[in-house]
Amino acid sequence: MFVLLWLKVHSGFFSYNNTNLRLAITSAVRKARKSYGNINVIVTGHSMGGAMFSFCALDLAVRL
């Protein structure tokens, strides 16, 4: 189990942090913002993907 700020997260759901997916998504968002300006980004997923993309949304909000 990981503790992120005040959140407790099972390692299976926090796997987004340790994948190439994180790098690919942040790279794509940066590239899109460079081309189109400060655009809004919507992240979505279902079940396990929904859990992972909740972390993705938090990551993007903090990093970008």
Side-chain angles (χ1 to χ4, degrees):
M1 183 177 294
F2 293 94
V3 177
L4 177 66
L5 300 175
W6 62 92
L7 305 174
K8 292 183 179 181
V9 179
H10 185 276
S11 60
F13 290 103
F14 198 59
S15 61
Y16 160 79
N17 193 48
N18 299 320
T19 63
N20 290 332
L21 182 62
R22 180 182 187 199
L23 296 174
I25 291 171
T26 55
S27 176
V29 170
R30 283 190 176 115
K31 186 176 180 179
R33 284 191 165 178
K34 185 176 180 181
S35 296
Y36 302 108
N38 192 19
I39 60 171
N40 292 324
V41 176
I42 298 171
V43 294
T44 186
H46 177 264
S47 193
M48 177 78 168
M52 290 178 67
F53 277 96
S54 294
F55 295 116
C56 174
L58 176 63
D59 187 39
L60 291 173
V62 170
R63 294 180 68 189
L64 303 177

